Amino acid sequence: ILTDLIAYRTGGAQVFSYLNVSRVMTRGFETEASWRPCESLTLSGGYQYLVTADRDVLEDIREGRVFKRDAESGASSRLSRSEYAGLPGRSKHMANLKAFWENPDKGRFATLRLIHRSRWGIADMDGNGLINRPDEFGRGFLQVNLSAGTTITRGLRMTAGVDNLLNHRDPATLPGLPGINPYLSLSIKANHKSENKKKTNPP
């Protein structure tokens, strides 16, 4: 079951719908690693490689039944396997890297997180129902998030940070990523001690 963009509302809001794909191919791998060079610093990261396809579409391409349309000239030609980008909304490459520093004695910490996503299919523009042209992709991006915090008093912690530090914005394909997003928060942790009282039976 896929979630795909099917229309735009008058105000520009996107309309998505669920689509059933009977025969799907997904291939790839994921890897994660972490390293602690010193007691106060931890480095971790991950990478995902993913190739997707509709098996029925692959068969139609092999039989020469799928065509594409040139964006400038409008001329039609057969689509090759290498031009077919697979299922919409799936990036071939995704990676993340995180650095976490902490000083438990003083109650301080800081984090740096990098998130990379390569381009992904968003919509069919040439009428063949597939993702194959450069203008049918959302552009890849790098997101940088920073945060730091400190313990003010026992149980009270303050955290400040900035998400999307590079201010990547793409309202057409990523409406949930409005741009640079600074924040400040306070958290309170209350400890409750429970006492077990002995019950005595009345005489």
Side-chain angles (χ1 to χ4, degrees):
I1 300 177
L2 297 178
T3 303
D4 200 3
L5 177 65
I6 61 172
Y8 290 92
R9 298 186 185 274
T10 304
Q14 298 173 330
V15 179
F16 291 86
S17 181
Y18 294 105
L19 304 175
N20 293 322
V21 181
S22 59
R23 297 198 303 152
V24 169
M25 179 198 75
T26 59
R27 295 176 180 173
F29 66 89
E30 294 182 21
T31 181
E32 294 182 358
S34 62
W35 179 44
R36 195 171 184 180
C38 60
E39 187 175 352
S40 59
L41 179 63
T42 302
L43 303 176
S44 61
Y47 171 74
Q48 173 186 281
Y49 176 78
L50 179 65
V51 176
T52 64
D54 183 332
R55 292 186 181 275
D56 292 332
V57 171
L58 292 179
E59 184 176 335
D60 289 339
I61 292 175
R62 285 194 295 267
E63 297 296 327
R65 296 192 293 261
V66 183
F67 291 81
K68 62 180 180 178
R69 187 180 298 276
D70 186 81
E72 297 181 0
S73 66
S76 297
S77 59
R78 281 190 172 88
L79 184 71
S80 66
R81 171 64 182 90
S82 61
E83 294 173 307
Y84 173 48
L87 304 178
R90 268 64 174 178
S91 295
K92 182 175 290 187
H93 307 280
M94 294 189 71
N96 68 84
L97 178 64
K98 180 180 179 181
F100 177 73
W101 173 84
E102 184 179 24
N103 186 332
D105 296 334
K106 295 185 178 181
R108 298 172 183 173
F109 73 93
T111 63
L112 167 65
R113 189 176 184 188
L114 310 179
I115 304 170
H116 167 70
R117 181 181 183 183
S118 66
R119 67 176 192 169
W120 67 98
I122 54 173
D124 168 41
M125 304 297 290
D126 59 355
N128 62 5
L130 308 176
I131 305 297
N132 57 269
R133 290 195 335 194
D135 59 343
E136 298 176 343
F137 289 88
R139 55 194 179 92
F141 65 95
L142 174 66
Q143 183 177 346
V144 179
N145 300 335
L146 287 172
S147 67
T150 184
T151 299
I152 301 175
T153 60
R154 185 174 182 180
L156 179 61
R157 170 172 283 194
M158 179 179 68
T159 303
V162 180
D163 287 343
N164 195 16
L165 183 63
L166 300 181
N167 198 30
H168 177 79
R169 295 197 292 178
D170 193 349
T173 61
L174 292 171
L177 193 65
I180 190 169
N181 181 30
Y183 62 89
L184 177 67
S185 66
L186 292 173
S187 61
I188 301 175
K189 183 178 181 180
N191 294 322
H192 299 283
K193 295 182 179 179
S194 60
E195 296 182 357
N196 295 324
K197 296 182 179 180
K198 296 182 179 180
K199 296 181 179 179
T200 58
N201 295 324

